[in-house]
Structure formats: C-alpha cells, structure tokens
C-alpha cells in the first residue's frame, strides 16, 4: 500500500513507514528542529543547579562530560535514522520485536507527553511569578497554542526552532548584561558552590543527561527526515553539544556570578533578572521568550509522543496530537510540573539502557543482524535493557558518587553484546 504524501493539505508525517528520499529535508531544516530544542530555559535550570551545587569548575566539567556523552549517544541513533528514514517506533520494532516494541515505544512516548505537561505548567507558573497572571489560564492558553503548532508537523517545528534559539541568545545575553551592573563576573571561576556535598559529580552528570535522555533516544523521529546518515549527525551536533551547552552554561555563569537568588532551588532560571517595574520592553521580551522558548520543547515532546502513539494504535500523528495534547494540558493544570526532580530520577535509570540496546543491535551488530527474520518478541533485548536499568538503579541507591545514567548505558550495551554477539556469530556462520 502506498503511503499518502499529503493529508488534508498538510504533508504526511509518515507514521507507519520510512520517510522516502523524495520527502527528506535539507540539513538546515533538520538542524533547526534539533537546534531549537535544547536551547531552552528548562535546560538552563539544571545547568545552574549543577554549578550551584558543585562550584564553577566541577560543575563545568560535569556539564561538558554529559554533553559529550549525549553527542555520541544521540549521534549514533541519528546516523541510523538518516540511513533508513525510520522513526523511533520503527527502529524499536527491529530490536524489540513487532509486538515487543510497544513496551519500549509506549514507555518513551508517554514520558515525553509528561514533559509536554511539565513545560506547559511551567509556562503558566513562570508568567504568574513574573507578572502575577492567572497561572491556570496562561497554562491553558499556552497549551492550546502548543497543540496547534505541533499539529502542523515537522516543518512547523523547524520554524519554531529557528525562532526559539536566537530568542534564547537575546534573552540570556540581556540577562548577563543586566547582571554585570550589580555582580562581579570576574569572580566566576572562583565560585565555590553552595551545595556542601549534597550533590555528587555523578548525580550532576545524570541530571544533565536526563533532561534530554528521552527525546535524545527518540531522535529518529526528527533525524529520519535527513537526506543521509552524515547530515543526521551534523544536525545532532547543533543540539549536542552546541545548543545544549549554550543553555546550560548560561544558567551556570549567572549562578556563579551570584546573579540568581536561591540558586540551589531555582538553578539557572534567569527570567527574574529580566523582569521589573518601569521597563515594558523587557517585560514584553520575557513574555515572548517564555512562551516561545517553552513552546519549543512542548511541541517537540508532543510530536515525539503523538508520532509514537499513532504508530502503536495505527492512527495518524495529527489525531494523536489532539488527543494527547488535551490530556497533557489537563495534567499540566493539575500541577504535574511540580514533579520535575522525580522525572529526572526515572529517566536517568530507565532510558539510557534502552537506547544502549538500540545502538548495540542496530549499529554495532548491524552487519551480523542484516536480513534477520522478524519476530514478535526479542527477549534478549528486554533482558539487556533490564540488566542495564538494574545496574543504574543499584548505583542510584548505593553508589551515588557515580552516574547512574552512564552506568546504565554502558552496562546495557555490554549486556546486549555479551548475549547477542555469540548468537549472531553462530547464525552467520
């Protein structure tokens, strides 16, 4: 059956088949999708929090290490997506089975809708804090706007990303300029932190990775639109490390300069620096920045969730955008954004081992598994995922000085290779 390329006047999102070469996008378009995603306020927050807890140099090291790991992790998955044109769900089908993929895809597709709810709620909370606006009403209106943009599809995400990234640079740059009037930026490198040992280096690395572990694992939903694997990797570079570092270091620098009050709780949230009486231009900037910036992450997450669930229930991405979007707004209005730290803990333990299994199966063992017959469930993939997640959980509970995200990723990958390599070698011979 031929996949329709136009649906109700809008380009098909290819929920159930690889994106054909005739519909692949330019490097600029795919880069704009990824580049505008991590350069957001909710990425500046953990960057500032890590610096606040560890001090400038150790915080900087944790941020850099986490971003380098994310670059390697997401790039490998992206390269495969650019080669095949397959979404995350279609990738998962190969590794976890034609029925088993529903567990992996359903899990991540639900988690990202949680991020949509969190950031929609954060939009209302941010503008309420800045101007006293009705938090519920703002979140409701913002959520509906985010749903509308997502409904338009991948091209709309690239437009929004192309706006959101420069807007972040303007807002963060303005905050830095304002902060220099009352704070000593020359003392940044000597900032000792205020954590007092409450956060370890490993936990800091996990906190940075966890902010994009889910959508990073689902990168194929974006980079399948690339013309080839090389361009998919180049698009990924704009996100990790470039855009991610800009956001996290912005928050970290302002914290180290002493420009953010209660940095151990607020992290790198610099919007209070931009607000104040008697400056309507800055106030307008804050409103536009918060809505567009958080709207970027909301639309991307909702797109991931809608694409994944549309394949699971054999429907269309745009229908699931409406259904999941409304559910996400309801959850946001109930206060889901308050559970930010809980989300990070879950993601750090469960998501990286899942991505590691995909990398091991589809990248490292690709030649041995070429032409492998389809099967409904692939127990070895689930076993390796479980081993990686168990190792991450063990580290989280008893060895917090290490990064549970990194341990889970490495152990999950090694477990799959140990289980599958001998089997594929025997099968190929």
């Amino acid at each position: 059956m031929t996949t329709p390329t136009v649906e109700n006047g809008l380009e098909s999102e290819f929920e159930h088949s690889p994106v054909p070469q005739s519909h692949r996008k330019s490097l600029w378009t795919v880069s704009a999708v990824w580049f505008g995603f991590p350069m957001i306020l909710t990425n500046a927050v953990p960057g500032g929090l890590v610096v606040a807890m560890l001090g400038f140099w150790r915080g900087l090291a944790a941020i850099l290490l986490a971003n380098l790991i994310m670059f390697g992790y997401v790039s490998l998955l992206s390269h495969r997506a650019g080669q095949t044109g397959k979404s995350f769900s279609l990738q998962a089908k190969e590794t976890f089975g034609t029925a088993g993929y529903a567990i992996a895809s359903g899990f991540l597709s639900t988690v990202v809708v949680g991020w949509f709810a969190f950031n929609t709620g954060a939009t209302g909370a941010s503008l309420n804090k800045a101007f006293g606006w009705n938090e519920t009403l703002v979140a409701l209106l913002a959520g509906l706007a985010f749903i509308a943009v997502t409904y338009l599809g991948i091209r709309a995400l690239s437009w929004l990303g192309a706006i959101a990234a420069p807007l972040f640079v303007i807002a963060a740059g303005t905050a830095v300029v304002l902060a220099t009037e009352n704070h000593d930026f020359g003392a940044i490198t000597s900032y000792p932190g205020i954590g007092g040992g409450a956060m370890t280096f490993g936990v800091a690395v996990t906190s940075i990775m966890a902010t994009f572990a889910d959508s990073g694992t689902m990168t194929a939903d974006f980079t399948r639109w690339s013309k080839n694997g090389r361009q998919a990797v180049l698009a990924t570079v704009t996100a990790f490390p470039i855009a991610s570092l800009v956001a996290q270091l912005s928050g970290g620098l302002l914290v180290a300069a002493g420009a953010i009050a209660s940095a151990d709780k607020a992290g790198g949230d610099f919007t209070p620096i931009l607000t104040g009486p008697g400056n309507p231009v800055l106030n307008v900037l804050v409103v536009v920045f918060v809505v567009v910036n958080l709207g970027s992450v909301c639309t991307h997450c909702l797109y991931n969730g809608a694409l994944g669930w549309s394949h699971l229930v054999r429907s269309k991405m745009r229908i699931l955008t409406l259904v999941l979007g409304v559910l996400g707004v309801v959850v946001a209005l109930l206060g889901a954004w308050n559970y930010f730290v809980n989300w990070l803990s879950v993601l750090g333990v469960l998501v990286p081992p899942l991505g590691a299994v995909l990398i091991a199966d589809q990248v490292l063992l690709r030649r041995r598994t070429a032409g492998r017959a389809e099967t409904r469930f692939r127990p070895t993939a689930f076993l390796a995922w479980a081993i990686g997640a168990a190792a991450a959980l063990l580290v989280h509970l008893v060895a917090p000085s290490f990064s549970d995200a990194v341990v889970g990723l490495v152990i999950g990958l090694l477990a799959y290779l140990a289980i599958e390599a001998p089997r594929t070698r025997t099968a190929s011979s």
Side-chain angles (χ1 to χ4, degrees):
M1 184 176 66
T2 303
T3 302
T5 58
V6 178
E7 301 167 354
N8 299 322
L10 296 171
E11 183 179 25
S12 170
E13 294 300 320
F14 299 99
E15 301 92 338
H16 310 299
S17 63
V19 177
Q21 277 292 337
S22 59
H23 285 259
R24 303 288 182 97
K25 309 299 180 187
S26 67
L27 175 60
W28 160 253
T29 298
V30 181
S31 295
V33 173
W34 248 133
F35 186 61
F37 194 2
M39 200 183 294
I40 52 172
L41 184 62
T42 43
N43 215 7
V45 170
L49 183 62
V50 163
V51 170
M53 302 304 283
L54 298 185
F56 179 76
W57 287 114
R58 292 188 72 225
L60 178 62
I63 291 171
L64 290 174
L65 177 60
N67 275 277
L68 287 174
I69 294 170
M70 286 296 291
F71 163 68
Y73 177 74
V74 180
S75 289
L76 288 171
L77 293 170
S78 291
H79 189 271
R80 183 64 176 157
Q83 287 181 321
T84 64
K86 291 184 177 182
S87 66
F88 168 73
S89 290
L90 293 176
Q91 283 186 339
K93 222 172 214 182
E94 290 184 20
T95 297
F96 291 95
T98 56
Y101 89 98
I103 297 173
S105 182
F107 165 62
L108 274 188
S109 297
T110 302
V111 167
V112 289
V113 175
W115 276 116
F116 167 80
F118 164 72
N119 284 286
T120 298
T123 305
S126 296
L127 294 180
N128 169 266
K129 181 180 178 181
F131 307 109
W133 293 359
N134 185 291
E135 182 175 331
T136 301
L137 180 60
V138 170
L140 174 62
L141 294 177
L144 295 176
F146 302 155
I147 293 171
V149 173
T150 309
Y151 186 88
L152 297 176
I154 193 71
R155 192 171 292 278
L157 266 60
S158 71
W159 297 336
L160 186 59
I163 297 170
L167 190 58
F168 181 94
V169 173
I170 292 171
T174 302
V176 170
V177 170
L178 293 174
T180 57
E181 297 176 0
N182 302 304
H183 299 87
D184 181 11
F185 273 67
I188 285 177
T189 56
S190 60
Y191 177 72
I194 55 177
M199 176 183 283
T200 67
F201 186 85
V203 170
V205 171
T206 295
S207 298
I208 296 298
M209 290 179 61
T211 55
F212 274 87
D214 48 3
S215 286
T217 304
M218 302 177 81
T219 183
D221 291 349
F222 308 133
T223 51
R224 67 195 173 117
W225 296 92
S226 299
K227 294 184 182 298
N228 51 53
R230 176 178 171 274
Q231 289 198 10
V233 172
L234 291 175
T236 302
V237 171
T238 67
F240 307 102
I242 296 174
S244 181
L245 277 178
V246 169
Q248 290 158 2
L249 292 180
S250 296
L253 289 172
L254 287 163
V255 165
I260 297 179
S262 302
D264 57 329
K265 297 181 178 64
D269 181 3
F270 54 78
T271 51
I273 300 173
L274 301 174
T275 57
N279 200 327
V281 175
L282 279 182
N283 289 339
V284 170
L285 173 62
V286 169
V287 173
V288 174
F289 168 67
V290 168
V291 173
V292 172
N293 200 252
L294 295 183
S296 178
V297 69
C298 284
T299 53
H300 284 70
C301 287
L302 183 56
Y303 183 87
N304 280 140
L307 192 70
W309 273 107
S310 65
H311 190 71
L312 284 166
V313 301
R314 309 304 297 173
S315 184
K316 296 293 184 182
M317 184 281 292
R318 292 183 171 92
I319 294 175
L320 269 296
T321 292
L322 299 176
V323 174
L324 296 175
V326 170
L327 288 175
V329 170
V330 171
V331 172
L333 298 180
L334 294 175
W337 62 275
N338 289 301
Y339 299 95
F340 183 48
V341 176
N342 294 356
W343 277 112
L344 294 186
S345 298
V346 172
L347 295 177
V349 170
L350 296 180
V351 177
L354 189 163
V357 171
L358 287 175
I359 291 171
D361 184 57
Q362 297 191 27
V363 179
L364 301 183
L365 297 179
R366 184 176 74 253
R367 293 183 180 179
R368 296 184 183 181
T369 58
R372 181 176 61 196
E374 286 188 348
T375 183
R376 286 179 56 79
F377 285 92
R378 297 199 62 254
T380 55
F382 285 101
L383 178 59
W385 182 13
I387 291 172
L393 179 61
L394 184 64
V395 168
H396 183 79
L397 295 175
V398 303
S401 59
F402 296 98
S403 169
D404 48 37
V406 175
V407 169
L409 194 160
V410 172
I411 296 299
L413 187 144
L414 293 177
Y416 189 81
L417 292 177
I419 296 168
E420 276 292 324
R423 291 161 53 90
T424 56
R425 188 182 298 114
T426 302
S428 61
S429 60

